Amino acid sequence: MAIDRRREAAGGGPGRQLAPTEENGSLPPGDAAASAPLGGRAGLGGGAEIQPLPPLHPGGGPHPSCCSAAAAPSLLLLDYDGSVLPFLGGLGGGYQKTLVLLTWIPALFIGFSQFSDSFLLDQPNFWCRGAGKGTELAGVTTSGRWGDMGNWTSLPTTPFSTVPWEAAGNRSNSSGADGGYTPPLPSPPDKGDNASNCDCHAWDYGIRAGLVQNVVSKWDLVCDNAWKVHIAKFSLLVGLIFGYLITGCIADWVGRRPVLLFSIIFILIFGLTVALSVNVTMFSTLRFFEGFCLAGIILTLYALRIELCPPGKRFMITMVASFVAMAGQFLMPGLAALCRDWQVLQALIICPFLLMLLYWSIFPESLRWLMATQQFESAKRLILHFTQKNCVSPESDIKGVMPELEKELSRRPKKVCIVKVVGTRNLWKNIVVLCVNSLTGYGIHHCFARSMMGHEVKVPLLENFYADYYTTASIALVSCLAMCLVVRFLGRRGGLLLFMILTALASLLQLGLLNLIGKYSQHPDSELQLKLAVGMSDSVKDKFSIAFSIVGMFASHAVGSLSVFFCAEITPTVIRCGGLGLVLASAGFGMLTAPIIELHNQKGYFLHHIIFACCTLICIICILLLPESRDQNLPENISNGEHYTRQPLLPHKKGEQPLLLTNAELKDYSGLHDAAAAGDTLPEGATANGMKAM
């Protein structure tokens, strides 16, 4: 054809590939070969397409035409999952199994810390000391106003802190007086006493979370001081958010191990000091720094766990850590009942981190990160340490990893910051999509929890603190079990899409269908039908609300967890902690909406739910833009991450022109304008990408 003749005359050749700036992120042959994950297998769901390994010359190294020594290290060393990890024994090596186990154990302590707010800051029932029957403040809300007369317990400050006054357990007082006296059961107070009932100088408390005294009763954080409870909740979440963002960048620059060890040291300092707080201001400030350090531990352990595993084991290893953290959530009420005092509970939660100080001598740096950042001198020492621990013979190095490593020892380290992702074409989009998914999943989770545990749904089983707490924990456990099955059959992208669709359906049905039931119940034919319709409408609405809330909590928890794991897989090793930090910080922002709504006494809750419901619809569309990472090698550098290209969920039929072309199908568009100007004609059925299928 004329196009080919002009292309050959220009010296380009008929097979010249497109520049790296093409729409699907493909690279020229040399660059793609140097950056593609080696030995990568195609995902079962037809996901990311990765270019195969170029042929090696007889000496075992890369072909001279593929890359130069000055531009990139040996392709063999960049192929961690295909060359280095098998040489070390994979996950079958005893040392690797020990390291994975060491990343699981701290998940129990993390579970204690993450759910401690439910006990330290639970809003108890309270009444004025010495007041007679009928003047107790069991119905005072956190803003000092009376709640619904049909439900006259104090409003919860968490989705699982609602309990009737009869179920209130331990009694305490704020001034250390005799706590053996149990006042008579109160009657609902008169609405006319709102303003005067907070004019009290000493309070007695009925704490429902298994403690004799917590932070609220310690410093009388009720009535006009109730807002300080929400600030204390903000402090831990805001600390987590800042910790994820900052420690993620530092871990990509200095390594995972230093960030982990320094986070352990400082969480011991700040966490134990929290137990010695003298006022709520000191408590909130120290909780911020405790959350900051806790974020460093969570993030680095998550990254180390992912980077230790081969492709087929990553998801299950991560889910085991999630189950261990849930064990901490289930054990937390028993721990609180044993401690009885919030200061003892806080100290007991932090003290187990003392065991992690041993990690300084037994836990190494991430070998994958050392290889990806070209710190080959340190990587060589660590490989020898691994081979010694696993009793691996040097003869098992069939691919010649160690000889290639010896040739690259003179290279300077090449570290990358997360800000480099701004200059990419595909990678930043993937991270942004997962950030929005994480924000939506954790944000809307509170909406469903409030609908099920809130005052508008009155079910005896859900009016007990422990029933609320264990219901929430059980839904999260079932959600994780379902994730294991769904991801196995549908992959990462298919599973995330399914759970997001379930979240959107539960949200839209709860917002729309329940209002529709109430609308039609307002037009009966007689007064008797009116009474029956109103009673039936309330009963049906409550049952539907609970059902949709359970489905929504189940699906939204899976969306948030799977978004974090998905990000860990598609983000390159050189910036993995930074990418994880962004998605985890987005999850923190989603969780932060709960105390914000509570601080405003639930004002704006309906709008809050509508906004997140709309976000679920946007996320469903955006998830289709993500690649599939199941059974794929982890990307090691930014070029590898760019090479993950999206594919249709369903393969196109034979003879059908695909909408998204693979790298092998891409053709050169240059010369079309010149051909048209010269009056050259194309054969019938020809297109810019080849001959049209007939």
Side-chain angles (χ1 to χ4, degrees):
M1 289 179 10
I3 295 178
D4 293 331
R5 289 197 302 271
R6 292 179 178 276
R7 194 181 303 150
E8 292 172 1
R16 185 171 64 86
Q17 298 291 326
L18 297 180
T21 57
E22 286 301 325
E23 178 63 27
N24 68 338
S26 61
L27 301 173
D31 295 340
S35 62
L38 308 182
R41 293 180 294 169
L44 299 179
E49 177 181 330
I50 301 178
Q51 287 189 350
L53 173 66
L56 301 178
H57 65 76
H63 196 279
S65 63
C66 293
C67 61
S68 62
S74 170
L75 295 175
L76 194 66
L77 300 181
L78 292 177
D79 183 20
Y80 187 89
D81 286 314
S83 300
V84 180
L85 194 58
F87 167 54
L88 301 177
L91 198 59
Y95 190 52
Q96 286 91 313
K97 290 181 179 178
T98 303
L99 295 180
V100 170
L101 179 62
L102 290 176
T103 65
W104 286 344
I105 295 174
L108 183 66
F109 315 147
I110 292 171
F112 289 150
S113 297
Q114 286 183 316
F115 296 97
S116 60
D117 273 355
S118 303
F119 300 86
L120 300 179
L121 297 171
D122 177 54
Q123 183 70 39
N125 295 306
F126 56 95
W127 62 93
C128 192
R129 187 176 305 156
K133 184 176 180 180
T135 59
E136 289 87 350
L137 299 185
V140 175
T141 68
T142 56
S143 63
R145 299 177 181 270
W146 295 113
D148 184 8
M149 294 299 293
N151 190 346
W152 39 282
T153 59
S154 59
L155 277 181
T157 57
T158 61
F160 36 77
S161 59
T162 305
V163 63
W165 177 246
E166 293 79 5
N170 304 308
R171 313 295 185 201
S172 68
N173 57 67
S174 60
S175 303
D178 183 14
Y181 167 71
T182 302
L185 292 178
S187 301
D190 296 331
K191 292 186 178 181
D193 296 335
N194 297 5
S196 61
N197 280 324
C198 278
D199 296 335
C200 187
H201 301 288
W203 304 96
D204 287 332
Y205 295 91
I207 301 176
R208 306 162 294 187
L211 297 174
V212 174
Q213 185 186 59
N214 68 356
V215 174
V216 178
S217 63
K218 171 78 172 178
W219 293 304
D220 292 333
L221 303 181
V222 294
C223 290
D224 293 338
N225 292 323
W227 61 273
K228 295 180 181 179
V229 177
H230 305 294
I231 299 301
K233 288 186 177 183
F234 288 165
S235 60
L236 183 67
L237 287 174
V238 174
L240 284 168
I241 291 171
F242 278 95
Y244 289 137
L245 295 174
I246 296 175
T247 58
C249 296
I250 297 175
D252 285 332
W253 197 258
V254 303
R256 283 70 163 126
R257 183 171 176 265
V259 173
L260 174 63
L261 297 175
F262 278 102
S263 297
I264 294 169
I265 293 172
F266 283 106
I267 198 175
L268 288 170
I269 296 173
F270 292 117
L272 293 176
T273 310
V274 167
L276 304 177
S277 301
V278 296
N279 53 47
V280 68
T281 303
M282 180 178 177
F283 175 86
S284 301
T285 304
L286 291 173
R287 287 283 279 181
F288 170 84
F289 291 106
E290 180 188 349
F292 188 97
C293 300
L294 183 64
I297 297 174
I298 295 172
L299 188 143
T300 51
L301 286 176
Y302 203 107
L304 286 167
R305 198 180 297 120
I306 289 286
E307 293 173 355
L308 279 169
C309 301
K313 304 292 184 181
R314 289 194 298 257
F315 184 72
M316 292 310 300
I317 294 296
T318 303
M319 292 309 300
V320 170
S322 298
F323 291 130
V324 175
M326 287 181 190
Q329 182 180 1
F330 277 96
L331 294 174
M332 192 64 191
L335 202 63
L338 290 175
C339 294
R340 308 291 289 173
D341 186 83
W342 74 270
Q343 292 174 305
V344 178
L345 178 62
Q346 172 67 19
L348 192 60
I349 289 172
I350 297 298
C351 283
F353 286 103
L354 285 168
L355 300 175
M356 294 187 68
L357 291 175
L358 299 175
Y359 282 36
W360 185 275
S361 58
I362 63 177
F363 209 99
E365 181 56 84
S366 170
L367 178 58
R368 187 188 295 269
W369 177 76
L370 292 175
M371 299 289 286
T373 54
Q374 302 180 19
Q375 301 181 65
F376 295 124
E377 187 67 37
S378 300
K380 177 185 175 182
R381 292 194 297 267
L382 190 54
I383 287 177
L384 294 176
H385 179 68
F386 269 80
T387 55
Q388 181 183 1
K389 289 286 186 179
N390 292 330
C391 300
V392 175
S393 173
E395 286 76 13
S396 62
D397 186 11
I398 301 176
K399 295 187 177 182
V401 173
M402 294 305 293
E404 287 296 327
L405 190 60
E406 293 286 350
K407 300 177 184 178
E408 305 289 348
L409 294 180
S410 60
R411 284 187 174 275
R412 297 181 59 185
K414 186 178 180 182
K415 300 177 181 179
V416 184
C417 183
I418 186 62
V419 296
K420 291 287 186 181
V421 79
V422 177
T424 61
R425 174 172 288 273
N426 296 316
L427 189 56
W428 75 269
K429 298 176 185 177
N430 296 337
I431 294 177
V432 168
V433 169
L434 292 173
C435 285
V436 176
N437 276 269
S438 179
L439 172 67
T440 303
Y442 283 100
I444 202 170
H445 187 83
H446 167 69
C447 300
F448 292 121
R450 183 187 178 278
S451 297
M452 185 173 67
M453 308 297 185
H455 289 278
E456 70 273 17
V457 177
K458 302 173 181 62
V459 179
L461 178 62
L462 300 179
E463 291 182 355
N464 180 276
F465 173 83
Y466 293 105
D468 293 348
Y469 184 88
Y470 282 115
T471 299
T472 304
S474 300
I475 291 173
L477 178 61
V478 174
S479 177
C480 288
L481 291 173
M483 282 173 57
C484 297
L485 297 175
V486 171
V487 170
R488 178 178 180 182
F489 291 102
L490 299 182
R492 280 60 160 154
R493 182 174 63 165
L496 184 59
L497 181 63
L498 174 63
F499 286 120
M500 185 60 78
I501 291 174
L502 288 177
T503 304
L505 287 176
S507 180
L508 295 175
L509 289 175
Q510 189 174 54
L511 290 172
L513 183 61
L514 299 185
N515 291 331
L516 192 64
I517 294 175
K519 176 182 177 182
Y520 282 100
S521 66
Q522 295 175 0
H523 302 284
D525 296 333
S526 65
E527 183 177 354
L528 178 61
Q529 291 181 359
L530 173 62
K531 294 180 180 179
L532 293 175
V534 170
M536 184 178 64
S537 173
D538 291 340
S539 175
V540 171
K541 286 178 66 176
D542 288 351
K543 292 178 181 178
F544 272 113
S545 180
I546 294 174
F548 292 146
S549 297
I550 292 175
V551 174
M553 293 174 68
F554 163 83
S556 60
H557 181 273
V559 166
S561 301
L562 196 53
S563 297
V564 176
F565 175 76
F566 208 161
C567 178
E569 282 198 320
I570 67 174
T571 306
T573 301
V574 291
I575 56 170
R576 179 163 293 120
C577 285
L580 267 174
L582 289 174
V583 177
L584 287 170
S586 300
F589 277 115
M591 290 185 284
L592 195 61
T593 59
I596 290 176
I597 294 295
E598 291 167 1
L599 182 61
H600 291 83
N601 196 25
Q602 307 297 337
K603 293 179 180 177
Y605 159 76
F606 187 72
L607 180 61
H608 172 215
H609 198 168
I610 288 178
I611 291 174
F612 278 115
C614 295
C615 289
T616 59
L617 302 178
I618 298 174
C619 290
I620 290 173
I621 300 173
C622 293
I623 289 172
L624 299 175
L625 304 177
L626 295 173
E628 175 57 61
S629 59
R630 179 172 58 176
D631 292 331
Q632 296 286 355
N633 295 345
L634 290 178
E636 305 299 339
N637 50 43
I638 291 182
S639 297
N640 293 162
E642 277 288 270
H643 218 62
Y644 274 80
T645 55
R646 64 186 184 274
Q647 293 291 320
L649 285 175
L650 300 175
H652 60 273
K653 298 179 181 179
K654 184 177 180 181
E656 179 183 354
Q657 185 75 10
L659 297 178
L660 296 173
L661 298 177
T662 62
N663 294 332
E665 296 171 324
L666 286 171
K667 300 295 187 297
D668 188 15
Y669 286 91
S670 63
L672 285 178
H673 180 72
D674 296 339
D680 294 329
T681 59
L682 297 175
E684 183 178 359
T687 66
N689 288 317
M691 296 298 294
K692 182 169 61 178
M694 300 303 291

